[in-house]
Amino acid sequence: MSKPAPADAAATASRPLDSLVSRIRDEVLSRQRFLITSHARPDGDSIGSQLAMAHALDALGKQSRIVNADRAPDHYYEFPGLDRIEIAEQVPADAAADAVIVMECGDLGRTGVRGFEGRYIINIDHHVGNRMYGDVNWFDVSAAACGEMVFDLIRALDVPLSFEIATHIYLAILTDTGSFHHSNITPRTFDICRQAAEAGVNPAAMARRIFDSNSFGKLKLIGSLLDGMQLLDEGRLAVLYLDDAMLDACGCTHNDTEGLINLPLTAREIQAVVFFKVAPDGVVRVSMRSKYDVDVRVVANAFGGGGHKNAAGFTVAGPLDKVRGGILERVTAAIAEGVRR
Ligand code: 5GP
Ligand code: MN
């Protein structure tokens, strides 16, 4: 189990503005034009963190452009300002900027966008292993979501928590905690969510919009994924397989696969899930989730990826049959280690 809550929860509710946050505040206030980016294949935390920041910069009268390598999953487009995100492999030639704010990226390559190198970079991240590639590096592994850090920065900038900003902060936290399942949640997480609710965010509506937005095709896909699920390690490890033929058969795209990895964890015995997504060229995208102290990040690290204790991933050249055994062996070892703790 995670650590017990500190006796004085209020002390964690608003952390003192540390020198790094005040430095970033000053760097932001002294500049006018910003580029905001995050990792390829954006998730709720990257979308929420970027849009909350963009709305805060609007409130300060600053200019900002958001440049991402990939589109967000369709259902995120209901949230305010998503159409501002420009999709590009290269920073647009006309994107003059005094600073780039990079969220959620251990290194600049994770953005999947070329052309940020050599600019003034503000690096904001909560993943273990950040390479400190920025001119300012703010890296806090204790944050349950990058959105928690953005919340701190927005408070430091004295920007009021508007409905739009609160919506994106809540989106970041709700999704990056696996809807309040992961072990890095603290009293402060709820304090931020409380303030978001006070600013008008409706938690029930947010959960419905984010998690209950499946197409019928996705329901079919759930059936076919679970049908093909393998149980290993005496039922403690679930393995899911997906390829384009399965997607086609259900009328789905890769955007429909978000969240499916969590399904096996709802079975009591299952301690970890490995989700293999095989691309037509044989490249294998591996996502992992786990419960409690089972640390799948160490497995991701061993294969050049990263993430968090309970949610991590990496990509390997296939073929699947060649890499599968070694990966599952390491996850089985991580389960043995985590369950023993
Ligand atoms: P997902 O399984 O949802 O793609 O990723 C889960 C977590 O692992 C996220 O926090 C994500 O940032 C991290 N992650 C996934 N893939 C990679 C990767 O290839 N490299 C690194 N450094 N982190 C990854
Ligand atoms: Mn995150």
Side-chain angles (χ1 to χ4, degrees):
M1 293 289 286
S2 32
K3 281 179 288 189
D8 182 9
T12 64
S14 62
R15 287 194 290 201
L17 181 59
D18 69 24
S19 59
L20 201 47
V21 185
S22 45
R23 168 146 180 236
I24 294 177
R25 173 197 61 199
D26 294 345
E27 301 293 356
V28 168
L29 290 176
S30 67
R31 289 171 163 79
Q32 185 56 31
R33 300 164 306 174
F34 294 85
L35 284 175
I36 302 174
T37 192
S38 185
H39 54 77
R41 290 178 289 102
D43 59 10
D45 193 20
S46 43
I47 294 299
S49 295
Q50 293 181 103
L51 265 302
M53 193 67 221
H55 282 99
L57 292 171
D58 291 350
L60 291 167
K62 312 261 180 209
Q63 295 166 26
S64 65
R65 285 173 72 168
I66 310 175
V67 183
N68 286 186
D70 299 305
R71 245 179 86 85
D74 285 343
H75 59 284
Y76 288 146
Y77 279 80
E78 291 181 31
F79 294 106
L82 262 282
D83 49 2
R84 292 171 64 159
I85 301 178
E86 301 173 48
I87 309 299
E89 289 176 355
Q90 173 90 37
V91 177
D94 62 345
D98 309 313
V100 185
I101 303 177
V102 184
M103 317 256 199
E104 285 256 287
C105 292
D107 58 69
L108 262 189
R110 282 277 289 150
T111 63
V113 179
R114 291 184 307 274
F116 292 123
E117 305 77 10
R119 296 174 189 247
Y120 185 89
I121 288 177
I122 300 173
N123 165 11
I124 303 179
D125 185 27
H126 70 135
H127 294 92
V128 173
N130 188 286
R131 297 265 174 81
M132 303 294 192
Y133 50 85
D135 294 273
V136 203
N137 299 288
W138 179 24
F139 166 53
D140 180 1
V141 288
S142 76
C146 191
E148 285 193 2
M149 303 172 72
V150 175
F151 175 88
D152 278 355
L153 178 58
I154 288 172
R155 293 278 296 253
L157 288 163
D158 251 339
V159 172
L161 194 63
S162 65
F163 174 72
E164 288 77 17
I165 293 174
T167 295
H168 282 292
I169 297 288
Y170 193 88
L171 168 66
I173 292 176
L174 181 62
T175 55
D176 230 38
T177 57
S179 52
F180 302 109
H181 280 60
H182 295 169
S183 57
N184 53 355
I185 299 162
T186 64
R188 154 184 167 68
T189 311
F190 290 100
D191 187 54
I192 296 172
C193 291
R194 178 188 64 74
Q195 293 182 58
E198 244 168 31
V201 168
N202 176 340
M206 290 293 286
R208 294 276 176 217
R209 288 165 75 182
I210 295 165
F211 302 114
D212 298 348
S213 59
N214 291 340
S215 60
F216 290 124
K218 184 162 173 177
L219 287 186
K220 272 173 68 181
L221 185 61
I222 289 171
S224 107
L225 269 182
L226 293 183
D227 204 36
M229 179 175 76
Q230 244 185 340
L231 289 175
L232 301 173
D233 193 20
E234 296 171 346
R236 298 195 295 184
L237 171 58
V239 189
L240 299 174
Y241 300 91
L242 179 73
D243 59 23
D244 282 11
M246 288 167 73
L247 288 175
D248 292 346
C250 302
C252 287
T253 69
H254 273 282
N255 268 348
D256 293 309
T257 64
E258 207 203 0
L260 299 183
I261 188 172
N262 295 310
L263 291 169
L265 286 184
T266 60
R268 187 194 302 271
E269 294 79 5
I270 293 178
Q271 300 298 314
V273 185
V274 177
F275 191 170
F276 290 111
K277 296 178 189 171
V278 184
D281 61 2
V283 168
V284 184
R285 165 84 206 141
V286 185
S287 282
M288 297 172 293
R289 297 291 184 273
S290 64
K291 287 177 182 166
Y292 302 115
D293 278 331
V294 175
D295 189 348
V296 286
R297 186 179 59 81
V298 295
V299 181
N301 282 346
F303 293 93
H308 309 279
K309 182 165 77 176
N310 295 143
F314 60 95
T315 302
V316 278
L320 177 65
D321 284 346
K322 206 172 125 217
V323 293
R324 184 182 166 278
I327 296 167
L328 296 181
E329 227 167 74
R330 282 183 193 263
V331 179
T332 305
I335 293 173
E337 175 71 20
V339 167
R340 199 162 43 233
R341 263 189 224 162

